[in-house]
Amino acid sequence: MGRPPCCEKVGIKKGPWTPEEDIILVSYIQEHGPGNWRSVPTNTGLLRCSKSCRLRWTNYLRPGIKRGNFTPHEEGMIIHLQALLGNKWAAIASYLPQRTDNDIKNYWNTHLKKKLKKFQSAIDPHMASDSTTSTSHQLNIVSRRSLSEGSLDNMASHVTLKNNQSSTYASSTANISRLLEGWMRSSPTPKTLSNTNHLKLNASDDLQDQETPAGNLVSRREELESILSYENLNNVASWDRSTCDSTQSDNKLNPRCGRVANDGEIIHDDHLVPDHDQKNKQIIRCESSTSAPPLSFLEKWLLDESAGQVDDDQMMELSPMSSV
DNA sequence: AATCGCGCCAACCGCATCGCG
DNA sequence: CCGCGATGCGGTTGGCGCGAT
C-alpha cells in the first residue's frame, strides 16, 4: 500500500483561496509569526492543510512579494543562476528576495524555456538539437549578455546578426568561447584580465595551480570563467547539486564545491569530489559569517557584470534573503 | 455569439531533508 | 543512532482568462 496523501482528511478544502481565508491566515501570522504550520489550521479554524497554509503565505501573502513582469535584469539573473544551480528554485529565489521560488519556476517554465529555444535556433540550429552541447553553457552566454544588454530577445537578434556575419560559426567550444570573449571585451565594465588565460576550457585545469593576476576580483573572475567553461558546466550539470546545497540560508553559494572564507575568497577542496558522502557535504557547505555577511562569490560576480546596468534598488535585491 | 485552443499561474502532490526525542 | 513528525522543495496539474476562428 502506498503512502497516503498528505491532505486525505475529510473536510479539508482544496483549490483557490478566498479573501476571507487570506485574512484569517494573515491575521493569525501577524499575531503568531510564520512557522508551526501544523497548528495553523487548528488554531485558525481554516479548513486547509498545513502545507496549503504555508504555501499560500510564502507564495502570495508574505509581505514584500513583487508580482507582475520580471525585469530584464531579473530575467538575466534567473537564467544565469539556473545555469549554475539547475532547478534549485528556492536557491535562485534567495537571490531575488521579492520573488518566490514558485514565481521563478513558473516564469522559467512558461517564458524562459521558450526564449532559450528561440535563442538556440538563432545561435545555431545544430546546437539546438545537439544533446552533447551543454544547455547550461549556452545559457551562461545568454544570461551574461542578458544581464549586460537588457533582454534575451536582444541577445537572440544579436547572435543572429553575428551568424550572418560569419557563416563558419560552429557549435564548438572554441567558437563559443570566442563569442564569450567578444562579449567580455565589449562588457560595459572591462576588467584587466589576462587575455591569454581568461577562458579556460579544459576541465582538467587545476585552479589551484594557476597563476592568477594579483587581486581577488581578477582571480575570482577567472575562477568563474573556468566554472562557466563547457566541460565544467557539464560537470556541474551532472553532479549531485545537493552537495552544494545553497538552500541553507546561512550557506555561501559556491558553485564549484569550494569553501568560501569570510572575506569572500574561495578555498578549494579539490579532493572533495562531488558525491553523496554526507561527511563531505558537511565540509562543502560553507561556514556562515558573522553579522553583515560579505557578498558571495557569485553575487559579487553578478554585481560586477551588471555594473552600470543595475540601479540601486536592484543592487539591494542581490543580497540573499535570510529564510523566513 | 459560441467554441476552441493555448498560455499562465496558483495550488497540489509526493519525495527529500531537517530536527527533535 | 534511529524513528518519526514537521517542514521544505520541485515537478506537475487544473482551472481561468483571453485571443483566434
Side-chain angles (χ1 to χ4, degrees), chain A residues 70 89 100-112:
Chain A
F70 282 70
W89 306 118
T100 68
D101 53 353
N102 209 34
D103 239 9
I104 292 169
K105 180 172 61 183
N106 282 334
Y107 188 67
W108 174 265
N109 287 329
T110 57
H111 292 86
L112 296 181

Side-chain angles (χ1 to χ4, degrees), chain A residues 70-82 96 107-108 111-112 115 142-143 146-147 150-154 314:
Chain A
F70 282 70
T71 66
H73 179 257
E74 285 175 320
E75 189 177 271
M77 284 199 61
I78 293 167
I79 294 167
H80 192 85
L81 288 164
Q82 201 279 340
L96 295 160
Y107 188 67
W108 174 265
H111 292 86
L112 296 181
K115 284 192 178 184
V142 176
S143 64
S146 187
L147 276 169
S151 83
L152 199 54
D153 296 320
N154 289 346
Q314 288 169 322

Side-chain angles (χ1 to χ4, degrees), chain A residues 252-271:
Chain A
K252 295 294 172 301
L253 180 65
N254 176 9
R256 201 179 172 269
C257 289
R259 285 176 286 126
V260 180
N262 283 349
D263 62 358
E265 188 59 62
I266 299 278
I267 302 166
H268 284 292
D269 291 318
D270 281 357
H271 61 287

Side-chain angles (χ1 to χ4, degrees), chain A residues 91-283:
Chain A
I92 293 170
S94 69
Y95 284 84
L96 295 160
Q98 295 180 315
R99 301 291 187 178
T100 68
D101 53 353
N102 209 34
D103 239 9
I104 292 169
K105 180 172 61 183
N106 282 334
Y107 188 67
W108 174 265
N109 287 329
T110 57
H111 292 86
L112 296 181
K113 265 188 181 175
K114 278 182 231 160
K115 284 192 178 184
L116 170 66
K117 244 183 177 165
K118 180 182 164 188
F119 169 75
Q120 282 176 330
S121 315
I123 194 169
D124 190 336
H126 302 297
M127 197 171 171
S129 57
D130 181 6
S131 61
T132 64
T133 304
S134 161
T135 300
S136 295
H137 178 256
Q138 297 169 39
L139 278 172
N140 268 290
I141 302 172
V142 176
S143 64
R144 295 179 71 161
R145 270 206 179 272
S146 187
L147 276 169
S148 156
E149 294 184 355
S151 83
L152 199 54
D153 296 320
N154 289 346
M155 181 56 187
S157 55
H158 175 91
V159 173
T160 308
L161 180 64
K162 197 176 182 73
N163 281 348
N164 291 340
Q165 287 166 344
S166 169
S167 59
T168 59
Y169 185 89
S171 58
S172 68
T173 55
N175 281 328
I176 290 166
S177 78
R178 218 174 299 137
L179 178 65
L180 189 53
E181 197 169 3
W183 173 77
M184 293 293 288
R185 271 197 294 271
S186 64
S187 169
T189 54
K191 300 297 180 299
T192 54
L193 286 174
S194 152
N195 287 335
T196 56
N197 201 28
H198 84 269
L199 278 172
K200 300 180 184 61
L201 296 174
N202 187 345
S204 64
D205 284 350
D206 184 346
L207 289 163
Q208 282 185 315
D209 290 341
Q210 286 161 9
E211 285 214 340
T212 55
N216 287 345
L217 180 64
V218 175
S219 66
R220 278 175 214 156
R221 174 185 283 266
E222 292 193 347
E223 194 90 51
L224 187 71
E225 282 155 3
S226 180
I227 291 161
L228 294 179
S229 71
Y230 174 71
E231 288 85 356
N232 277 347
L233 270 166
N234 279 340
N235 292 341
V236 168
S238 61
W239 58 258
D240 179 3
R241 287 182 166 87
S242 67
T243 53
C244 271
D245 187 358
S246 63
T247 61
Q248 304 305 306
S249 61
D250 55 353
N251 287 344
K252 295 294 172 301
L253 180 65
N254 176 9
R256 201 179 172 269
C257 289
R259 285 176 286 126
V260 180
N262 283 349
D263 62 358
E265 188 59 62
I266 299 278
I267 302 166
H268 284 292
D269 291 318
D270 281 357
H271 61 287
L272 293 178
V273 236
D275 60 18
H276 300 272
D277 187 339
Q278 290 295 322
K279 274 184 285 185
N280 284 355
K281 276 191 183 182
Q282 297 302 320
I283 300 167

Side-chain angles (χ1 to χ4, degrees), chain A residues 291-302:
Chain A
S291 60
L295 290 176
S296 72
F297 167 55
L298 177 62
E299 287 172 289
K300 281 183 176 173
W301 180 77
L302 286 168

